Amino acid sequence: MDRKKTAVIAIGGNSLIKSNAHQSIEDQYQAAKETTFHIADMIESGWNVAIGHGNGPQVGLILRQSEVSAKAEGTPETPLDVCGAESQGMIGFMLQQNLQNELFQRKINQNVATVITQVLVDINDPAFKNPTKPIGGFMTEEQARHKRDELGWSVVEDAGRGWRRVVASPDPKEVVELDTVKALIAAGVIVITVCGGGIPVYDKGNGDYVGAPAVIDKDFASSLLAQEIDADLFVISTAVEKVALNYGKPNEQWLDRITSAEARQYISEGHFAKGSMLPKVQAILRYLDNTGKQALITNPENIGRALKGETGTWIVP
Ligand code: ADP
Ligand code: MG
């Protein structure tokens, strides 16, 4: 029998929380249900799937709950690494249960498991001196200024959509639970892993891991996972059907298929916004360079059509 093809699919944290008005657990659960429906289509059509996902808005909410409750009630604050672990459990649960339910309805006999996943970073990574990763909800410029002055947050304007807090985003070096993830995939389990890019940890020097005050980009962590499990395809599922040149401008041009050389050219021309589309294209280039395979960027509802070559942006070597 032919080996089943394996895809790593990275789901955007922003496609699980669709807007500021849709942050309730019920809304998140519904968004997870919609997304897993499309992933079930992929599984039904014969793909083995490992799922990575973002946690930016969710980890921001967890952090905020911790901060507000600490201020109001004096409860202990939750450090960022533990917030990350909480978000992995919460989002993983919503995806896992929805996907299990959907597979059961379709009479597909496959198990789903969420792996709390740590990702090794280098504590000397220059990123720790230059925070760039947006976390938490969107703020007005005035709210952002207030947070910066009051709490010492680093804040930036995010792709024309509002202001957000930024934290260090070091490069992922190694998926700590890689062997576990590989064993589960080999056993036919659908694995949810590197959630929120993984919990960043560093080696204290004696082999002991300790959490780092940072957030790893889920696009880079998912790319690393795709490389390390030798996935046949890397899919980034986000809020847009395709990638554009001159995004949001009158001369916007949607891309169907680009080579890695063209992608590099468009990066140098500044077409992909920092902190949103740029890391996706960069993450895909790392995967392409190291595997020679292809990658796809599209939104959840178009994954099926995109796999048939009908839409999405394909990036090829
Ligand atoms: P995710 O939560 O999936 O990681 P992001 O918000 O980080 O999503 O990145 C996806 C967003 O990137 C899109 O919704 C879009 O607003 C923005 N974007 C920036 N540049 C581009 C581009 N050139 N083409 C398409 N989308 C872009
Ligand atoms: Mg993102």
Side-chain angles (χ1 to χ4, degrees):
M1 206 180 94
D2 280 347
R3 170 180 166 266
K4 238 185 174 184
K5 283 195 171 178
T6 302
V8 166
I9 170 160
I11 313 167
N14 290 324
S15 74
L16 295 169
I17 289 185
K18 296 195 165 184
S19 69
N20 276 349
H22 294 90
Q23 299 195 11
S24 72
I25 292 296
E26 217 176 303
D27 284 329
Q28 293 190 52
Y29 192 83
Q30 192 54 36
K33 190 178 167 79
E34 283 169 31
T35 302
T36 49
F37 179 87
H38 302 295
I39 295 174
D41 280 348
M42 209 172 156
I43 295 165
E44 193 167 21
S45 72
W47 283 91
N48 222 343
V49 172
I51 302 166
H53 62 77
N55 71 347
Q58 292 84 353
V59 83
L61 277 176
I62 292 170
L63 200 61
R64 177 110 186 87
Q65 284 164 358
S66 151
E67 286 163 357
V68 168
S69 151
K71 206 168 172 185
E73 305 256 346
T75 54
E77 283 202 46
T78 313
L80 202 51
D81 56 344
V82 177
C83 290
E86 286 185 16
S87 77
Q88 291 193 345
M90 180 188 79
I91 305 171
F93 163 63
M94 290 194 265
L95 292 170
Q96 182 174 320
Q97 189 180 72
N98 276 304
L99 190 53
Q100 280 167 334
N101 288 347
E102 187 59 33
L103 294 177
F104 178 79
Q105 290 304 326
R106 298 184 191 209
K107 302 188 167 49
I108 298 171
N109 186 18
Q110 244 180 307
N111 290 311
V112 186
T114 300
V115 176
I116 297 294
T117 309
Q118 307 167 81
V119 170
L120 194 63
V121 300
D122 180 354
I123 197 63
N124 296 312
D125 193 309
F128 284 105
K129 294 196 176 67
N130 177 32
T132 56
K133 179 70 187 166
I135 62 161
F138 288 95
M139 299 174 280
T140 64
E141 188 170 355
E142 196 194 330
Q143 288 169 325
R145 263 213 195 100
H146 184 72
K147 293 291 183 193
R148 188 191 59 196
D149 299 342
E150 195 93 327
L151 299 169
W153 287 7
S154 300
V155 292
V156 293
E157 206 278 330
D158 185 7
R161 295 170 298 175
W163 288 74
R164 290 177 90 182
R165 180 185 182 185
V166 285
V167 297
S169 185
D171 220 23
K173 298 289 181 203
E174 233 174 78
V175 177
V176 174
E177 286 76 15
L178 183 66
D179 289 344
T180 305
V181 170
K182 279 184 171 171
L184 287 169
I185 293 172
V189 178
I190 307 290
V191 190
I192 301 165
T193 177
V194 294
C195 311
I199 303 160
V201 298
Y202 62 94
D203 187 334
K204 274 166 64 181
N206 62 356
D208 279 357
Y209 293 137
V210 59
V215 171
I216 300 172
D217 192 293
K218 70 104 180 17
D219 299 311
F220 288 128
S222 303
S223 169
L224 179 67
L225 175 75
Q227 293 165 55
E228 291 197 333
I229 68 167
D230 197 26
D232 301 286
L233 176 69
F234 180 30
V235 181
I236 297 186
S237 168
T238 185
V240 287
E241 183 174 342
K242 293 182 185 184
V243 180
L245 299 182
N246 304 305
Y247 178 69
K249 295 182 189 155
N251 59 343
E252 184 174 68
Q253 184 194 336
W254 299 105
L255 299 166
D256 296 322
R257 191 180 184 86
I258 59 173
T259 64
S260 47
E262 285 166 339
R264 286 194 167 84
Q265 172 75 25
Y266 299 146
I267 286 173
S268 72
E269 292 167 2
H271 286 287
F272 310 132
K274 266 190 197 167
S276 60
M277 191 50 73
L278 180 64
K280 297 187 197 314
V281 179
Q282 288 173 328
I284 282 176
L285 286 172
R286 288 183 187 183
Y287 170 73
L288 260 52
D289 289 349
N290 287 313
T291 64
K293 290 167 184 159
Q294 306 194 350
L296 170 67
I297 299 179
T298 193
N299 51 7
E301 54 270 40
N302 282 297
I303 292 172
R305 287 184 55 228
L307 287 172
K308 290 186 217 147
E310 293 171 7
T311 188
T313 300
W314 284 91
I315 306 175
V316 302

